[in-house]
Amino acid sequence: MTFYVTTPIYYANSLPHLGHLYTMVVADTIARSKRQQGIETFFLTGTDEHGINIERAAQRSNRTPKEQADYVVSYYTKMTAAFGLDTAHGGYDIFMRTTNPFHYEGVSELWRRVAKAKTPKGNDALYKGHYEGWFCAACASYKTEDEYAAASAPGEPPTCLVHETKLDRVSEESYFFRLSDYDEALLALYERPDFVRPEARRNEVKSFVAGGLQDLSVSRLKTSVSWGIPVPDDPDHTMYVWFDALTNYITAIGFGNEQQERKIGFEKFWPALHLVGKDILRQHAVYWPAFLMAGGIQQPSGVYAHGMWVDPGGRKMSKTLGNTVELDVLNQYFSIDSIRYFCLREMVFGQDGRFGYENLIDRTNSDLASGLGNLSSRTLTMIHRYCEGRIPEGTVSDESRLAAKRAGVEDEMAISHFVSHARDEFLRDFEDFAFSRALEDAWGIVARADKMISDAKPWDLAKDAKQRETLNAVLYRAAESLRWLCVLLYAVMPNAAREIYKQLGMTGDVNRISPGELTWGGLSAGQAVGEVKPLFPRIDKAKTMEEIKEQTSDVRDQKSEKPEIADRQQAADAASPHSGTHLTEADAVPGVAHIDITDFAKIDLRVGEVKTAERIPKADKLLLITVDIGEEKPRQILAGIAQYYEPEKLVGRKIVVVANLKPRKLRGYESQGMLLAASVGDEGKPVIATFAEDVPNGARLK
Ligand code: MSP
């Protein structure tokens, strides 16, 4: 038996944020749990590297498209290692890139098959036609009906919802996939109740297909999109990026390439379970199955669409809105396990979830530090204190049973039943993708063990020689419950589970023990427990929130905020939550929203000369500079440029200062203005604006 799970492959035009990390965490958790059950598992993630958006992102950062993809992939490599999701940490088995030569081969093979195929209604699956549609030049993409606003006057073109610019009617030669012939076959496929999950999404997809399908344009002329895979035997055409991207799931394991097939095995691992955000369900549940039917390939084992992380105000996360949760910040303040736990506990899988750092801190402190962490440290500390550091005998002899009852300690059966019932519920919920409920089941065990300890008061029992067996039994049961928790929680929190397991004195890796095979009493009496180390240190909420706020506002100050575009992007998102053309950051290029000259005149921009510049302790992004802008005293400004500019090199330099910006405090220093810098590339590298000619300090920019 084998198992194959995939995340979407992420666009290589921008750096990932929590949303991208999330699907990886879920897939990683599922993969670990399957491996723990002894099932040979393959876990794929990767990047989607072709198409106009990557091309444009590359242009903006002065890179070739491949360099752009390499740059984003190098960030993914670092990020997945930091979060323990890479192969070296027992995470993904392949980081798939659509620029891999074996992928080109595999996609071309699928295209050829589709080109020869007949639809279920007996027509050619692929045909050449003319694609005509409303095209937004700024988005560089065709817009579907729900992505534009109808014209206000007859005869006028509609307007792009993102840019509010008029659309052009464009037509070009294109290959079409006869999707319209696949409606019945797809509806039959959706009869499989586990094909699209959850149920609400399945109904959504069903009614979309039942409403009638339009044929799908699956190529663009090379002259309009050149960064992509050429259509076999017709190199003037580039494949539609979704045809290319979706096919990665099969090329990765060897479809259409012998070497990859030998290395991994298409026959061995296909079909896959696809985990996707609900934003790309249509592509996975409609287009992909139809392509597979045409290619004569078995359908995926299922497509599971999860919800989106939104900010505490309910808005979708996007870099344009400046509300994304940056992975660097998460990594700096939170342990991998607490992030994983939070992701799975807080979001009801399938529904949207709100992400706030405050919630993350609260959950870490309550469920992990005070919950699981505290149960583990108090149990082990008492075993050290009262049992010379060895797991005590857990059985209570007949003679001592009455004493135990008197101390409020129940029969062992009661707790062993409770724990194994909780395990069964946990596994059932886990299988059902109800991770949040599964974790509640596991925390039922934490609460039960905690209560047992608080009721029995081992510290009192220890004072009474007649209660020796009762004391031992309580500690044994707590320790045994912890052993079960390690096995159950390994897939969600691999590091903490391993650590507690080790502290219990267990040898061997918890990742080899199948939760279904746990039996009560597996912990051996006499076994020496390890050193008690804190697992989840409490987080100082006020301090951490303050630091995070400063960090995230630093970053945002350096990135130009474009609220008007953001709002329109939101409007577009709201209008078309599952639209065929997926909005990406790269789509949200600056539009042409105009401001009045009086709006501009509100900003007091002055020439300044940097007088001093220094680093600030413990703030690796900030420089403290003083700038002469022709006032009595130089201004003090904090700028988030420390990673890009040596302080010494700034002194004497003429810069542009926003002089009437409200002063604010950062890291205990008042910042009395802002310097202007261009934000370059995806990492937003600042390049300070300066003058080619000599200008006096304080001169106004108009
Ligand atoms: N390249 C395509 C997918 C091709 S798959 C053959 C793409 N890439 S993407 O970079 O935009 O990633 C989209 C996926 O990232 C979502 O489906 C989801 O898995 C994840 N998320 C991105 N933002 C998210 C949230 N705010 N919340 C949860 N997941 C999100 O689409």
Side-chain angles (χ1 to χ4, degrees), residues 7-14 17-24 47-49 76 241-242 244-249 275-281 283-284 306-310 316-318 347 582-584:
T7 72
I9 48 169
Y10 304 100
Y11 286 126
N13 56 354
S14 61
H17 56 69
L18 170 76
H20 306 104
L21 178 78
Y22 174 68
T23 320
M24 284 194 221
T47 39
D48 182 353
E49 305 189 2
Y76 267 96
V241 68
W242 275 101
D244 157 0
L246 289 160
T247 309
N248 96 88
Y249 299 132
L275 299 181
V276 299
K278 66 180 184 184
D279 53 334
I280 53 173
L281 178 59
Q283 289 83 350
H284 283 82
H306 64 72
M308 293 281 140
W309 283 104
V310 296
K316 186 178 159 187
M317 258 174 219
S318 89
M347 175 151 357
H582 176 60
L583 279 179
T584 68

Side-chain angles (χ1 to χ4, degrees), residues 3 5-7 10 20-36 41-45 80 83-93 275 336-337 340 344 430 435 489-495 498:
F3 177 75
V5 64
T6 68
T7 72
Y10 304 100
H20 306 104
L21 178 78
Y22 174 68
T23 320
M24 284 194 221
V25 164
V26 177
D28 182 80
T29 303
I30 296 176
R32 280 177 202 268
S33 109
K34 296 287 180 190
R35 290 191 189 113
Q36 201 183 13
T41 296
F42 196 76
F43 161 22
L44 169 148
T45 190
T80 50
F83 286 92
L85 296 163
D86 60 350
T87 312
H89 291 89
Y92 58 71
D93 296 287
L275 299 181
I336 298 173
D337 282 358
R340 292 173 70 103
L344 293 163
F430 203 96
F435 305 112
L489 296 177
Y490 160 75
V492 178
M493 300 197 290
N495 304 307
R498 283 199 168 112

Side-chain angles (χ1 to χ4, degrees), residues 36 483 486-487 490 494 497-498 501 508-514:
Q36 201 183 13
R483 184 180 73 92
C486 291
V487 176
Y490 160 75
R498 283 199 168 112
Y501 205 64
D509 199 334
V510 63
N511 76 352
R512 302 246 160 247
I513 316 228
S514 179

Side-chain angles (χ1 to χ4, degrees), residues 127-136 141-145 148 158 167-176 214-221:
Y127 64 94
K128 223 176 199 179
H130 272 84
Y131 181 74
E132 191 181 320
W134 291 110
F135 189 83
C136 169
S141 61
Y142 287 95
K143 297 276 145 179
T144 53
E145 222 171 288
Y148 58 68
L167 300 179
D168 300 315
R169 195 72 190 164
V170 171
S171 155
E172 66 179 40
E173 191 183 67
S174 163
Y175 282 93
F176 280 82
Q214 284 177 9
D215 291 349
L216 192 67
S217 158
V218 285
S219 71
R220 289 284 178 273
L221 282 180

Side-chain angles (χ1 to χ4, degrees), residues 548-603:
I548 292 177
K549 240 180 236 151
E550 278 182 17
Q551 276 228 11
T552 40
S553 57
D554 279 3
V555 176
R556 268 163 221 164
D557 280 354
Q558 290 308 314
K559 290 183 179 162
S560 56
E561 282 180 337
K562 306 174 194 104
E564 73 286 358
I565 294 166
D567 289 344
R568 274 178 283 130
Q569 161 127 33
Q570 279 244 301
D573 288 350
S576 89
H578 317 291
S579 57
T581 314
H582 176 60
L583 279 179
T584 68
E585 244 177 88
D587 290 328
V589 290
V592 284
H594 295 125
I595 59 165
D596 210 78
I597 186 74
T598 52
D599 291 326
F600 176 70
K602 285 185 200 150
I603 308 171

